Amino acid sequence: LRLSPVAEARVRLSQEDYTAEDLVLTDRTTRALSFGVAYELSPITMLDVIVGVEKIDTVGSGTDRGNFGTVTLTRALANGSAGVILDRSFGIEGGRTSLSVNRSMDLPSGTLAFSLGVTKVETGDTEVTGSVAYGQTLPNGELTASLDRTVESPDSGNDILTTNAAVGYSFETSPVSNLSFNFDYAQVDNVGSGTASNTKRSSLKAEYTHELTPDWDLSGGYEHQRLVTEGSGTASSNTVFLTLGREFSIRR
């Protein structure tokens, strides 16, 4: 709902159903109702506020209720933007409070964005979160790099701490062909269960893409993946792929 030229209101009603074939055959329904207002404090400053209530019904475990909300303040700068986010979420593990600051910058031939914050669940420890993302435009390609650390509370109820690093490089070998290399590494720690565990994932991919026509692309390459799970050993895979793809659009 547009309240004025500088204010907008929103309402959201949602329902999520979750079932799992685990030991207790989890069956859970989550319903949420929220209201939000976005207001332009000035031509370069935006305030966005969301408040809501959530109800979680779990078969065999009863009902949990809680409040959630988010306050976001964003300001446009000469070479990018800066912002602050205060977030309060609710889940089966209780309430979680997070605070973060972020900054994005336009560089002469690329971009740089970073954030830093803290998050804490009522029954857990305070964890540091953050991210850095860099992109560099090259004469005939692009270089990207990112590092981020996040904490999530999925439907399993255990806090999941994920640290992810990625590097990508692509360049044009001709006006109609491109060669790219990508490396990803992630460590996933289950920090909310009685016994902590971690999983390490890595992926290395090389891909060559050739434009056959303006609509058709032919791509091929190689990908190596490796998975190391604490207490379960190591698994790896090697994939050679060839793909023929076509882009199309639907006009209404």
Side-chain angles (χ1 to χ4, degrees):
L1 178 64
R2 175 65 66 176
L3 302 178
S4 73
V6 296
E8 180 184 85
R10 304 182 302 274
V11 60
R12 182 173 185 266
L13 178 65
S14 67
Q15 175 173 315
E16 295 182 3
D17 297 312
Y18 172 81
T19 59
E21 295 182 0
D22 51 15
L23 294 178
V24 295
L25 298 177
T26 302
D27 188 347
R28 181 183 303 121
T29 300
T30 303
R31 299 178 179 89
L33 174 65
S34 66
F35 301 89
V37 175
Y39 184 77
E40 294 183 16
L41 300 176
S42 73
I44 61 172
T45 306
M46 172 69 73
L47 177 65
D48 196 315
V49 180
I50 299 173
V51 294
V53 60
E54 190 170 73
K55 178 183 177 183
I56 304 175
D57 295 313
T58 305
V59 176
S61 300
T63 300
D64 296 311
R65 293 181 176 85
N67 301 317
F68 64 90
T70 304
V71 179
T72 304
L73 182 65
T74 306
R75 184 177 180 85
L77 304 175
N79 67 335
S81 64
V84 179
I85 303 175
L86 176 62
D87 179 76
R88 171 74 174 182
S89 61
F90 179 76
I92 59 174
E93 82 291 345
R96 174 183 294 278
T97 303
S98 304
L99 175 66
S100 65
V101 295
N102 59 77
R103 176 77 164 93
S104 63
M105 295 184 290
D106 298 321
L107 305 178
S109 59
T111 59
L112 175 65
F114 56 88
S115 67
L116 181 64
V118 292
T119 180
K120 185 182 188 306
V121 70
E122 292 176 350
T123 57
D125 299 326
T126 299
E127 299 285 352
V128 177
T129 60
S131 65
V132 179
Y134 173 74
Q136 177 74 39
T137 301
L138 305 175
N140 65 336
E142 183 180 25
L143 174 66
T144 60
S146 65
L147 175 66
D148 64 83
R149 175 185 170 97
T150 61
V151 179
E152 299 178 338
S153 299
D155 290 316
S156 63
N158 298 328
D159 283 355
I160 305 298
L161 172 62
T162 302
T163 303
N164 187 88
V167 178
Y169 174 61
S170 64
F171 63 95
E172 294 181 356
T173 56
S174 75
V176 294
S177 60
N178 180 79
L179 183 62
S180 64
F181 300 92
N182 293 278
F183 174 75
D184 292 275
Y185 174 83
Q187 178 168 320
V188 182
D189 295 296
N190 190 334
V191 297
S193 61
T195 303
S197 61
N198 68 75
T199 300
K200 299 179 178 66
R201 301 192 305 260
S202 59
S203 171
L204 178 62
K205 182 179 181 181
E207 182 175 7
Y208 174 79
T209 303
H210 181 75
E211 182 181 300
L212 299 175
T213 70
D215 296 327
W216 288 90
D217 289 335
L218 179 67
S219 62
Y222 166 79
E223 182 175 15
H224 173 75
Q225 294 180 314
R226 182 179 175 87
L227 176 68
V228 180
T229 304
E230 184 177 6
S232 300
T234 302
S236 63
S237 68
N238 296 281
T239 304
V240 177
F241 59 91
L242 182 65
T243 305
L244 180 65
R246 184 184 189 279
E247 294 186 0
F248 62 93
S249 60
I250 300 176
R251 296 183 179 181
R252 297 181 178 179

